[in-house]
Amino acid sequence: MRSAGITRPARVVPSHFSAANSRLSTDITDRAVASALPTRLRPADLLRLTDEGAEDVLAGRYDHLFPAGGIWPTENRWATRLLADDEVDVWLISWVPDHSTELHDHAGSLGALTVLSGALSEFRWNGRELRERTLTAGDQASFPLGWVHDVVRAPDLVPGAKAELGPMDPTLSVHAYSPPLSAMSYYEVTGHGTLRRTRTVLTDEPEPDTATSGILPSNPGAATHTPKAM
């Protein structure tokens, strides 16, 4: 990762898993978790895994998975799986401007992310409306069951975001899902301020990529946020 010229986030914790070992740490996998959850892992475990994955990326352990020549895509979102087993999969995602994920959930999977560089804007449904937050390098977020959100590379004017997206200056985040993703449902906000499911798809790839007609609005209300496909 240092070869890509990305500065190490100050808030990322030391790493304890490596590309050579896809088994989870013993203190995670041996922990008892409430039977009501679809996985033995807790959100805190996934946050730790994304931190560790971020550290390994920054340490250069995944350089062999980077785009050819170290040139990051600028037209479409790019992703690669860093780790996978029966309980969890961990991904590195590179984000580009004006590409939204659309409002979606992660079906029966818990999720978490750590931002490595740049900044992401998340629009999450709180039961009444969409609420916006910005995650910059070093920030984390976890996604319990039923979490519905849209994610996009933050506008350049956001503090902490890079002024320009260049081939050696990507916006990157590490994501973990447990159980590994198998499906996602998509939603739209109605004119009555409610959420309506539009479709469900089978997938094993994270955070879908959809071109939009522009950067998403600031502090969108319940009926104002609808990414438009180009």
Side-chain angles (χ1 to χ4, degrees), residues 1-123:
M1 176 58 66
R2 291 170 185 154
S3 63
I6 296 174
T7 303
R8 171 176 172 172
R11 284 171 284 181
V12 176
V13 301
S15 172
H16 296 291
F17 88 68
S18 69
N21 187 354
S22 63
R23 295 175 56 189
L24 299 178
S25 301
T26 301
D27 60 337
I28 292 178
T29 55
D30 286 350
R31 183 179 301 169
V33 176
S35 59
L37 294 178
T39 172
R40 293 190 297 165
L41 303 185
R42 300 176 186 271
D45 298 324
L46 299 184
L47 289 170
R48 175 179 173 180
L49 285 173
T50 60
D51 258 354
E52 292 175 343
E55 275 292 310
D56 281 349
V57 169
L58 293 169
R61 296 188 178 97
Y62 293 110
D63 283 0
H64 62 287
L65 298 178
F66 289 177
I71 305 299
W72 298 90
T74 58
E75 298 298 325
N76 294 290
R77 193 210 62 174
W78 173 92
T80 187
R81 185 182 273 113
L82 303 181
L83 177 149
D85 60 25
D86 292 339
E87 287 196 308
V88 65
D89 55 357
V90 180
W91 292 79
L92 174 66
I93 300 177
S94 172
W95 301 80
V96 296
D98 301 338
H99 278 246
S100 163
T101 64
E102 298 187 59
L103 284 172
H104 68 281
D105 63 23
H106 302 116
S109 298
L110 305 179
L113 69 82
T114 294
V115 179
L116 277 75
S117 60
L120 299 176
S121 292
E122 182 197 31
F123 299 85

Side-chain angles (χ1 to χ4, degrees), residues 185-197:
S185 290
Y186 293 83
Y187 301 84
E188 64 182 9
V189 180
T190 72
H192 301 289
T194 60
L195 203 62
R196 177 170 59 209
R197 185 170 61 187

